[in-house]
Amino acid sequence: MDGSFDAGEAIELTRALIREACVNDGTPESGQEIRNVRVLQRFLADAVAAGRVETQVLESAPGRASLIARVRGTDPGAPSLGLLGHLDVVPVDPEGWSRNPFGGDLVDGEVWGRGAVDMLYLTAAFAVVLREVALAPEPPRGDLVLLAVADEEAGGEYGIHWLVQNHPDAIRVDEALSESGGMRMGRHVAIEVAEKGSAGRRLIVRGKPGHASIPYGAESAAYRVGEVLHRLREVMPVAELGPLWSAFVHARIDDPEIAERLLDPVRIDAVLPQLGGIAGYAHAVSRVTISPTVLRAGAVHNVIPAVGTIDLDIRTLPGTTDENVDDLLSAVLGEWAEDVEIEHLRGWAATSSPTDTPLLAAIGRAVEEVAGAPMVPIMAAGGSDARVLRELGIPAYGFGVLGEDWSYERYREGVHGHDERIDARSIELSLAALRRIVADRVG
């Protein structure tokens, strides 16, 4: 395989994927990822025609398609490596953009468009390397599998979850690379090895209804919603510093005094305001977080509401159970706990992959060779399809090697933000590292 930094094909494929505008707004008919499946099919056509790649188009609903492309290895005992990328993107507000969000423009060495960072550049790089392996003079030792899936941006019910339930053999791999890596933590390149879980809850509070023209004697549930919100704002879950925390601190924090305080769960909150743009990430991955997101009370203008609800987006740490979450909410609510009913919403457990696997070691070597920088394993505050593979016992890591000026803060601004774009240098670095990892793991 070519280990060079040439990334012309990956850049052009990224642009083509952006232009298909596979926007997923969470409705069953949105996404229409079949359009990006066709882009990838055209790109892989010569390798398929040569009999080097086996492809399957699997459609969970009309237009909600995923592409599985497998290059067979020669050694049944060699590991199979999955390259897990998604084909959908989140909606845009065109008024916030300087350029056409679906133009795929290449301007001053940057590819512009929705999904450029999240994660079409990586999906393109995965397809490029798969095709290179397929057309190489010698076949690989182990299988290399592109999993280009639908519906990641809305939870994966029409994508990875549906594939696991309906086509488990098609997505069978021993280890995998996916998204949410590559940003710079100081001089380190961050590789995601874990991600927080989700434990949605709805708080239900009750009041005494009445006619809004005669409020005396009634007790609006809207007031109780406000009082519960005030309690949630005033009481913060305590820090729980897990095994990845010290690695993050030592990679990102240069001031030894601040670093020392961050390693103390008692003193961490007092020092968060001194962390600048990384404070939000540090806060998120050091504890369970509770965020009120949807409020409801009342239906008509002239009736004092009897019931109010607060939906909570709760993100959990590895090892946190549903019982732990309910106990935490009771502690946070304090005197309000007996008056609030807690309803469970959709959720999933936090996941993590081992930090001593051959794949992670190969990633570290590739990052060092390509970027001249050490790797640091991190936890993602959000979620990705990689968690589904981890739940199956498959080690999965968030990959990427972004350019030297791609701090975590810049990465977060680019994901789902206005004027999303990725520079050619980051695509080149990621592709070069990916080639080395694939050569290392499947030959």
Side-chain angles (χ1 to χ4, degrees), residues 8-18 39-40 43 123-125 127-128:
E9 284 189 322
I11 291 170
E12 290 307 310
L13 186 54
T14 302
R15 299 176 70 193
L17 294 170
I18 289 170
V39 171
L40 293 177
F43 180 76
T123 302
V128 166

Side-chain angles (χ1 to χ4, degrees), residues 309-363:
T309 62
I310 306 168
D311 286 3
L312 302 177
D313 185 322
I314 301 176
R315 299 301 173 116
T316 60
L317 297 171
T320 305
T321 66
D322 274 341
E323 291 76 15
N324 296 150
V325 172
D326 290 338
D327 290 344
L328 174 62
L329 274 178
S330 294
V332 168
L333 291 170
E335 62 186 21
W336 277 96
E338 293 185 1
D339 298 319
V340 175
E341 180 184 342
I342 300 175
E343 178 183 333
H344 286 214
L345 304 179
R346 182 171 180 264
W348 56 85
T351 62
S352 60
S353 296
T355 57
D356 59 354
T357 64
L359 177 55
L360 189 60
I363 295 171

Side-chain angles (χ1 to χ4, degrees), residues 92-358:
V92 300
D93 174 9
E95 293 183 0
W97 283 68
S98 304
R99 294 184 172 276
N100 178 359
F102 301 108
D105 297 334
L106 179 60
V107 181
D108 297 328
E110 294 181 319
V111 178
W112 285 62
R114 173 58 85 223
V117 179
D118 182 16
M119 63 171 288
L120 297 182
Y121 91 94
L122 266 180
T123 302
F126 290 164
V128 166
V129 170
L130 179 104
R131 180 174 176 271
E132 289 174 353
V133 171
L135 295 176
E138 298 294 330
R141 291 180 296 107
D143 287 9
L144 183 64
V145 188
L146 173 64
L147 310 170
V149 303
D151 199 37
E152 189 276 343
E153 296 292 2
E157 294 305 317
Y158 292 91
I160 190 69
H161 286 290
W162 182 84
L163 291 167
V164 166
Q165 293 164 7
N166 295 277
H167 299 278
D169 290 341
I171 64 168
R172 176 180 46 80
V173 294
D174 296 318
E175 55 192 24
L177 301 176
S178 192
E179 61 179 326
S180 302
M183 66 291 290
R184 303 298 176 114
M185 291 286 189
R187 60 180 293 267
H188 295 68
V189 173
I191 298 297
E192 185 245 282
V193 304
E195 58 187 57
K196 295 183 75 177
S198 177
R201 295 291 188 273
R202 176 169 293 156
L203 305 183
I204 303 171
V205 297
R206 303 185 188 279
K208 182 179 179 182
H211 198 289
S213 66
I214 308 176
Y216 184 81
E219 188 169 359
S220 175
Y223 284 136
R224 293 197 167 185
V225 166
E227 290 164 339
V228 172
L229 285 173
H230 179 74
R231 178 72 182 182
L232 291 171
R233 181 177 181 178
E234 293 299 310
V235 181
M236 181 185 298
V238 298
E240 302 176 58
L241 307 183
L244 300 175
W245 177 254
S246 62
F248 155 70
V249 171
H250 291 307
R252 178 61 196 255
I253 307 302
D254 294 327
D255 187 313
E257 181 181 351
I258 292 178
E260 181 185 0
R261 293 167 68 187
L262 285 173
L263 295 173
D264 182 349
V266 175
R267 296 190 290 168
I268 179 177
D269 288 344
V271 78
L272 284 175
Q274 300 180 45
L275 300 186
I278 200 66
Y281 173 80
H283 175 269
V285 299
S286 62
R287 72 201 68 220
V288 174
T289 57
I290 303 174
S291 299
T293 53
V294 181
L295 311 177
R296 299 181 183 89
V300 294
H301 160 76
N302 62 347
V303 177
I304 293 172
V307 178
T309 62
I310 306 168
D311 286 3
L312 302 177
D313 185 322
I314 301 176
R315 299 301 173 116
T316 60
L317 297 171
T320 305
T321 66
D322 274 341
E323 291 76 15
N324 296 150
V325 172
D326 290 338
D327 290 344
L328 174 62
L329 274 178
S330 294
V332 168
L333 291 170
E335 62 186 21
W336 277 96
E338 293 185 1
D339 298 319
V340 175
E341 180 184 342
I342 300 175
E343 178 183 333
H344 286 214
L345 304 179
R346 182 171 180 264
W348 56 85
T351 62
S352 60
S353 296
T355 57
D356 59 354
T357 64

